[in-house]
Amino acid sequence: MLEEVLAATIRGATPLLLAALGELISQRAGVINIGIEGMMLMGALFGMIGSFYTTGLPMFAPWIGLLAAGVSGLLTAIIFVIFTIKLRGDQIVIGTALTLFALGFTEVINQRLLQVVERPLKSTAFNDIHLPLLSEIPIFGKILFSQNIIVYLTFLLVPCVYFFLYHTHLGLRVRACGEHPNAISTVGSNVLLIRTACMLFAGVLAGLGGGYLSLADVPYFNSEMTAGRGFIALTIVIFGKWHPIKTCGAAILFSFGFALEYRFQAFGLGIQRQWFMMLPFLLCLAVLAGFVGRAEAPKALGKTFDPQA
Amino acid sequence: MNNLLRMLLTAKSKCVSSLENYPRFVQWVAVPLLILGCASLTNAIILLLCGYNPIEAYTAAARVSLGSISGLSETLVKTTPFLMTGLSVGIAFRCGIWNIGAEGQLLVGALGATWFGTRLAYMIPHSSWIGVPLCLTTAILAGGLWGVIPAILKITRNVNEVISTIMLNYVAIHLMGLMIEGGPLQETAKIGSQSDPVVEWVTLTRFVEQYRLHSGIVIALVLAVVLTFVLFRTTFGYQLRAVGEGAAAAKAAGISVARNTLQVFFISGALAGLGGAIELMALADELTKSFSPGYGYTAIAVALMAKLHPLGTIATALLFGALSRGSFAMEGEIGISGKVTWMMQAIILLYVVGFSSARLFNKQPSKQP
């Protein structure tokens, strides 16, 4: 029972963590991307499509789907970059526009496919990989080492992001872009270029996070399948205080809450599920307000940078 | 001090910048039409690539939304919530407050109206002259107070309102679920996840029985005019715009930014909440989970396309109402998903940002006075 809940926690945390890590990097560079929900939705749709059209190659189909998911996230991020960085539009407005766009676009495409394609729209999903020896460990083996490949890769990404942000030159510059873009611009770094790169990376990760939903979680697409996960990823970044390791912790914590909720539901305990769904957002507000340990956002977060000003 | 304020007000604001050098006609008529044209074209290209016939789709949409009296009535019915939330977002953005929370404020307003209309209404005299105003007031208070939460967080704890309002949207969605799915506002039969229908003496009347067009549109139109007056002809509106142009300078000129933020958030929340209540009291009767198809998010496009002017918002809300109505026709007659309306809204929003971008119009970045 507990084993199952914890395994579900790790599985559920993966798409949240993927999207949150991208959001983390872009926010540390000063770009707030609330189009993350839209990017995940695009990833979910194109992940399914990529895998669906290559069903003939069962070995490669999930990977091609994942590639398509990443590329669709990247393309959405390119639109974001053109409008916010090239045309100096407001990040909040563009983010909202992209989420709205994805909500409409994915449903239009999905409905069209349902009209045109005769067989059921199913993707070839990733299989679970039972790591030799490690998966034999009692309890932990099942929770940690019997998951699909994206889960492993995602959790491996956490230390990489940590190392990048805190132990490389470029990571230092990224953080500086989010705190004092003028200062880092003065010493010769190209703020717009760094922000563009971070944003594109965030787009790819959000797309992959969406792709996980239609390639590993369930083998189909549904336009409501992201169900606010993009915004939960946003709360995770804040709850994790813009730090990769803490963000990973926050993703696991929130995912545990959702997994628990699902079990509670199955056992018919008298707690309404909305309490669990509401909790991440309330916790996030509490953290922002400083009731549960103060979180400081990057100082230049969401501010358009104009090198000529 | 007056000079300083005047200087601030002539300063170019974020969303409206760079078009000011052009004649008024170009600013208010030509550019929105150009935006609409470009957006329709982009949307048509996407539809074409999907294998639909965009011309057929557009004619169907135009015919159904504007071509008959019942269609026009439905378009106006759809316009009302867009107008209310558009006004809500517009006034907040004017004051430099990024209130993304209209969706949540609308839901909480509707919740307040549901509470009144299905529970408290039995305690008052059964007359719509008493019931309707009281129900609307409940919604105003509910939406307004929900709007005050991010204001307090911003003033006392310096919490960015963009993030807090997004969070509060989701809290509101789940709060609504909590109330109507097994909670105190669930229907008396306790079966479906919806509320009881509101009692008859708090419903808004229709003008003509066979059309759904209701008196809510009048409330919205009057509010648009009142807000225009408040924004441009009163001290409060003057201060509000001054804070929007630059909070630090407005503070230096003696305006209490904190008080302004609080007031504007209350008004913004109240408008959205009222929009939710009108929708509930005129059409939905009972509160269900699919009550709002994202009115609060569309409102951002509505307000920005109107350049945050309440009277302009009437026109853009009408446009979005027609789009929304037209998408039903596209779904029914051509088979395009009705959600195509969101895609169109998003494209419009992107063009609005593109067209107000300083970099497209002026080669040189605009000089601040």
Side-chain angles (χ1 to χ4, degrees), chain A residues 145-156:
Chain A
F145 302 111
S146 308
Q147 306 278 9
N148 62 63
I149 180 97
I150 313 181
V151 176
Y152 301 127
L153 292 179
T154 303
F155 281 88
L156 275 180

Side-chain angles (χ1 to χ4, degrees), chain B residues 229-249:
Chain B
F229 180 81
V230 169
L231 261 182
F232 298 103
R233 293 282 182 275
T234 64
T235 320
F236 171 69
Y238 196 53
Q239 291 183 346
L240 184 158
R241 286 181 294 144
V243 173
E245 299 291 348

Side-chain angles (χ1 to χ4, degrees), chain A residues 134-189:
Chain A
L134 288 172
S135 61
E136 311 281 313
I137 304 172
I139 303 174
F140 286 107
K142 197 162 178 216
I143 298 168
L144 297 177
F145 302 111
S146 308
Q147 306 278 9
N148 62 63
I149 180 97
I150 313 181
V151 176
Y152 301 127
L153 292 179
T154 303
F155 281 88
L156 275 180
L157 196 61
V158 177
C160 297
V161 169
Y162 171 76
F163 183 80
F164 169 75
L165 273 181
Y166 292 95
H167 294 283
T168 64
H169 250 283
L170 198 56
L172 183 66
R173 282 193 222 158
V174 166
R175 286 183 289 142
C177 280
E179 299 290 341
H180 294 290
N182 286 319
I184 192 77
S185 177
T186 313
V187 297
S189 287

Side-chain angles (χ1 to χ4, degrees), chain A residues 86-87 112 115 272 289 294, chain B residues 50 157 181 335 357 359:
Chain A
K86 191 84 188 152
L87 296 176
R112 185 63 188 167
Q115 288 163 357
Q272 279 183 271
R294 181 97 189 151
Chain B
C50 292
R157 296 281 174 161
E181 227 176 272
S357 159
R359 308 201 74 202

